PDB file of all heavy atoms in Angstrom:
ATOM      1  N   HIS I1114     -11.749  16.546  -1.516  1.00 89.00           N
ATOM      2  CA  HIS I1114     -10.359  16.133  -1.870  1.00 89.00           C
ATOM      3  C   HIS I1114      -9.832  15.294  -0.711  1.00 89.00           C
ATOM      4  O   HIS I1114     -10.431  15.214   0.341  1.00 89.00           O
ATOM      5  CB  HIS I1114      -9.457  17.346  -2.076  1.00 89.00           C
ATOM      6  CG  HIS I1114      -9.297  18.163  -0.871  1.00 89.00           C
ATOM      7  ND1 HIS I1114     -10.264  19.008  -0.395  1.00 89.00           N
ATOM      8  CD2 HIS I1114      -8.207  18.281  -0.068  1.00 89.00           C
ATOM      9  CE1 HIS I1114      -9.805  19.631   0.703  1.00 89.00           C
ATOM     10  NE2 HIS I1114      -8.591  19.235   0.943  1.00 89.00           N
ATOM     11  N   THR I1115      -8.810  14.554  -0.983  1.00 90.00           N
ATOM     12  CA  THR I1115      -8.229  13.677  -0.009  1.00 90.00           C
ATOM     13  C   THR I1115      -6.736  13.924   0.198  1.00 90.00           C
ATOM     14  O   THR I1115      -6.059  14.228  -0.771  1.00 90.00           O
ATOM     15  CB  THR I1115      -8.446  12.162  -0.307  1.00 90.00           C
ATOM     16  OG1 THR I1115      -7.925  11.977  -1.633  1.00 90.00           O
ATOM     17  CG2 THR I1115      -9.916  11.865  -0.324  1.00 90.00           C
ATOM     18  N   PRO I1116      -6.274  13.739   1.480  1.00 93.00           N
ATOM     19  CA  PRO I1116      -7.074  13.326   2.642  1.00 93.00           C
ATOM     20  C   PRO I1116      -7.760  14.498   3.375  1.00 93.00           C
ATOM     21  O   PRO I1116      -8.543  14.271   4.290  1.00 93.00           O
ATOM     22  CB  PRO I1116      -5.974  12.651   3.574  1.00 93.00           C
ATOM     23  CG  PRO I1116      -4.780  13.459   3.210  1.00 93.00           C
ATOM     24  CD  PRO I1116      -4.796  13.778   1.720  1.00 93.00           C
ATOM     25  N   GLY I1117      -7.449  15.745   3.015  1.00 93.00           N
ATOM     26  CA  GLY I1117      -7.882  16.888   3.797  1.00 93.00           C
ATOM     27  C   GLY I1117      -9.371  17.039   3.923  1.00 93.00           C
ATOM     28  O   GLY I1117      -9.913  17.383   4.919  1.00 93.00           O
ATOM     29  N   GLY I1118     -10.114  16.704   2.797  1.00 94.00           N
ATOM     30  CA  GLY I1118     -11.525  16.839   2.925  1.00 94.00           C
ATOM     31  C   GLY I1118     -12.223  15.929   3.873  1.00 94.00           C
ATOM     32  O   GLY I1118     -13.159  16.303   4.590  1.00 94.00           O
ATOM     33  N   LEU I1119     -11.688  14.715   3.988  1.00 96.00           N
ATOM     34  CA  LEU I1119     -12.233  13.738   5.014  1.00 96.00           C
ATOM     35  C   LEU I1119     -11.839  14.181   6.371  1.00 96.00           C
ATOM     36  O   LEU I1119     -12.620  14.110   7.339  1.00 96.00           O
ATOM     37  CB  LEU I1119     -11.666  12.323   4.682  1.00 96.00           C
ATOM     38  CG  LEU I1119     -12.144  11.237   5.674  1.00 96.00           C
ATOM     39  CD1 LEU I1119     -13.632  11.095   5.646  1.00 96.00           C
ATOM     40  CD2 LEU I1119     -11.446   9.893   5.370  1.00 96.00           C
ATOM     41  N   GLU I1120     -10.566  14.672   6.521  1.00 97.00           N
ATOM     42  CA  GLU I1120     -10.154  15.120   7.856  1.00 97.00           C
ATOM     43  C   GLU I1120     -10.959  16.331   8.321  1.00 97.00           C
ATOM     44  O   GLU I1120     -11.251  16.485   9.505  1.00 97.00           O
ATOM     45  CB  GLU I1120      -8.650  15.463   7.806  1.00 97.00           C
ATOM     46  CG  GLU I1120      -7.783  14.135   7.638  1.00 97.00           C
ATOM     47  CD  GLU I1120      -6.329  14.452   7.314  1.00 97.00           C
ATOM     48  OE1 GLU I1120      -6.025  15.568   6.844  1.00 97.00           O
ATOM     49  OE2 GLU I1120      -5.518  13.597   7.644  1.00 97.00           O
ATOM     50  N   ASP I1121     -11.308  17.195   7.403  1.00 97.00           N
ATOM     51  CA  ASP I1121     -12.163  18.342   7.745  1.00 97.00           C
ATOM     52  C   ASP I1121     -13.491  17.893   8.335  1.00 97.00           C
ATOM     53  O   ASP I1121     -14.005  18.412   9.326  1.00 97.00           O
ATOM     54  CB  ASP I1121     -12.437  19.236   6.550  1.00 97.00           C
ATOM     55  CG  ASP I1121     -11.222  20.019   6.123  1.00 97.00           C
ATOM     56  OD1 ASP I1121     -10.292  20.199   6.917  1.00 97.00           O
ATOM     57  OD2 ASP I1121     -11.143  20.557   4.965  1.00 97.00           O
ATOM     58  N   PHE I1122     -14.040  16.840   7.692  1.00 98.00           N
ATOM     59  CA  PHE I1122     -15.357  16.315   8.217  1.00 98.00           C
ATOM     60  C   PHE I1122     -15.197  15.721   9.582  1.00 98.00           C
ATOM     61  O   PHE I1122     -16.049  15.955  10.430  1.00 98.00           O
ATOM     62  CB  PHE I1122     -15.881  15.259   7.201  1.00 98.00           C
ATOM     63  CG  PHE I1122     -17.189  14.700   7.604  1.00 98.00           C
ATOM     64  CD1 PHE I1122     -18.362  15.312   7.265  1.00 98.00           C
ATOM     65  CD2 PHE I1122     -17.295  13.493   8.356  1.00 98.00           C
ATOM     66  CE1 PHE I1122     -19.590  14.815   7.656  1.00 98.00           C
ATOM     67  CE2 PHE I1122     -18.479  12.961   8.730  1.00 98.00           C
ATOM     68  CZ  PHE I1122     -19.690  13.626   8.407  1.00 98.00           C
ATOM     69  N   VAL I1123     -14.157  14.941   9.755  1.00 98.00           N
ATOM     70  CA  VAL I1123     -13.898  14.324  11.085  1.00 98.00           C
ATOM     71  C   VAL I1123     -13.687  15.385  12.160  1.00 98.00           C
ATOM     72  O   VAL I1123     -14.261  15.260  13.239  1.00 98.00           O
ATOM     73  CB  VAL I1123     -12.693  13.353  10.933  1.00 98.00           C
ATOM     74  CG1 VAL I1123     -12.238  12.906  12.353  1.00 98.00           C
ATOM     75  CG2 VAL I1123     -13.054  12.159  10.080  1.00 98.00           C
ATOM     76  N   GLU I1124     -12.888  16.377  11.905  1.00 98.00           N
ATOM     77  CA  GLU I1124     -12.530  17.323  12.927  1.00 98.00           C
ATOM     78  C   GLU I1124     -13.629  18.406  13.199  1.00 98.00           C
ATOM     79  O   GLU I1124     -13.755  18.880  14.305  1.00 98.00           O
ATOM     80  CB  GLU I1124     -11.231  18.024  12.480  1.00 98.00           C
ATOM     81  CG  GLU I1124     -10.031  17.061  12.498  1.00 98.00           C
ATOM     82  CD  GLU I1124      -8.823  17.665  11.805  1.00 98.00           C
ATOM     83  OE1 GLU I1124      -8.833  18.844  11.462  1.00 98.00           O
ATOM     84  OE2 GLU I1124      -7.870  16.857  11.533  1.00 98.00           O
ATOM     85  N   LEU I1125     -14.460  18.681  12.152  1.00 98.00           N
ATOM     86  CA  LEU I1125     -15.354  19.833  12.273  1.00 98.00           C
ATOM     87  C   LEU I1125     -16.805  19.337  12.347  1.00 98.00           C
ATOM     88  O   LEU I1125     -17.611  19.868  13.156  1.00 98.00           O
ATOM     89  CB  LEU I1125     -15.223  20.800  11.075  1.00 98.00           C
ATOM     90  CG  LEU I1125     -13.834  21.417  10.971  1.00 98.00           C
ATOM     91  CD1 LEU I1125     -13.741  22.259   9.701  1.00 98.00           C
ATOM     92  CD2 LEU I1125     -13.560  22.327  12.172  1.00 98.00           C
ATOM     93  N   VAL I1126     -17.206  18.391  11.496  1.00 98.00           N
ATOM     94  CA  VAL I1126     -18.607  18.011  11.430  1.00 98.00           C
ATOM     95  C   VAL I1126     -18.977  16.920  12.442  1.00 98.00           C
ATOM     96  O   VAL I1126     -20.061  16.941  13.118  1.00 98.00           O
ATOM     97  CB  VAL I1126     -18.985  17.561  10.015  1.00 98.00           C
ATOM     98  CG1 VAL I1126     -20.466  17.222   9.889  1.00 98.00           C
ATOM     99  CG2 VAL I1126     -18.644  18.704   9.026  1.00 98.00           C
ATOM    100  N   VAL I1127     -18.109  15.907  12.628  1.00 98.00           N
ATOM    101  CA  VAL I1127     -18.455  14.795  13.545  1.00 98.00           C
ATOM    102  C   VAL I1127     -18.732  15.314  14.956  1.00 98.00           C
ATOM    103  O   VAL I1127     -19.761  14.893  15.573  1.00 98.00           O
ATOM    104  CB  VAL I1127     -17.339  13.741  13.557  1.00 98.00           C
ATOM    105  CG1 VAL I1127     -17.563  12.741  14.674  1.00 98.00           C
ATOM    106  CG2 VAL I1127     -17.323  12.962  12.221  1.00 98.00           C
TER     107      VAL I1127
END
Side-chain angles (χ1 to χ4, degrees):
H1114 62 286
T1115 53
L1119 180 61
E1120 291 170 336
D1121 287 343
F1122 181 85
V1123 168
E1124 293 165 11
L1125 299 174
V1126 182
V1127 168

